[in-house]
Amino acid sequence: LAELDLTEKSLAKELDSRLGYVEQTKGQRFYIAIDSAKKRFYFNYGDDIVRETAVQIGPPASVRSADGRSWTFVPLRGEFPIEDKLVGMDWRVSSWLYAMRGEPEPSERPVIKDGLGKYVIVLPNNYIIHSPPPPDSPLQWPKPGSFMVPEEDLAAIWPRLDGATRVFVF
């Protein structure tokens, strides 16, 4: 924590998150931990690592469209619940993606099967953990501020995820 440049409020949030993480290791529950510095994704049961893999982290971004709309994606840190988990979701290509690529937004944005990846874990504020998108998706990297994990790893842990599963990002 000493290496992080944090305000008093963000330091308190970081400490609360790490204390929550320590509490989970003492319990007999499944949870996800993402180590942003090491770029590692861990699926744990208590203090045992059940599955570990590399994670790609979408960079923070501020995007403004030609018509003045803006989107800000900040790095995610802290403790979060899983709000939803989606399989085989049709994704309407987001306006922010066109703005990010410097392209005009079409009048009818296309819908891509599994456009964010086959598996999508929804966290608060539309942050996600997702598997790699298919080749026909215009998003070929992690969504900004979010996390991309290999499909086989998300498939393996999928049955154990629910609304009680906590996600810790540090």
Side-chain angles (χ1 to χ4, degrees):
L1 289 175
E3 297 172 7
L4 301 175
D5 182 23
L6 301 172
T7 64
E8 186 175 334
K9 184 178 178 181
S10 58
L11 177 60
K13 183 177 178 182
E14 184 74 21
L15 286 171
D16 287 344
S17 172
R18 292 194 185 202
L19 287 171
Y21 173 71
V22 169
E23 283 298 313
Q24 288 293 309
T25 64
K26 294 177 184 175
Q28 296 302 305
R29 291 179 233 154
F30 288 103
Y31 62 95
I32 293 170
I34 298 174
D35 185 330
S36 299
K38 292 181 180 176
K39 295 190 169 129
R40 300 302 292 171
F41 175 95
Y42 304 95
F43 186 62
N44 301 285
Y45 183 74
D47 61 357
D48 295 322
I49 297 173
V50 177
R51 194 159 189 110
E52 176 184 354
T53 191
V55 63
Q56 293 181 37
I57 302 170
S62 290
V63 181
R64 182 173 300 285
S65 66
D67 65 3
R69 291 177 294 161
S70 64
W71 300 264
T72 301
F73 304 95
V74 298
L76 194 62
R77 297 182 79 82
E79 176 182 356
F80 306 96
I82 291 177
E83 292 190 343
D84 204 356
K85 59 181 210 174
L86 309 167
V87 178
M89 179 184 89
D90 290 342
W91 179 60
R92 181 170 303 281
V93 177
S94 295
S95 298
W96 59 260
L97 186 61
Y98 292 102
M100 182 177 280
R101 294 168 69 174
E103 297 174 356
E105 183 177 336
S107 57
E108 184 64 33
R109 292 178 286 131
V111 174
I112 310 292
K113 173 86 173 140
D114 297 333
L116 292 171
K118 182 176 180 179
Y119 297 98
V120 178
I121 299 169
V122 181
L123 304 174
N125 297 317
N126 292 316
Y127 286 92
I128 61 173
I129 300 169
H130 63 95
S131 56
D136 63 332
S137 176
L139 182 69
Q140 289 298 303
W141 57 85
K143 181 182 174 209
S146 293
F147 309 94
M148 190 165 72
V149 175
E151 185 173 309
E152 60 273 10
D153 292 295
L154 287 182
I157 69 171
W158 204 252
R160 299 285 183 204
L161 302 176
D162 60 32
T165 307
R166 306 303 292 170
V167 176
F168 298 90
V169 181
F170 51 91

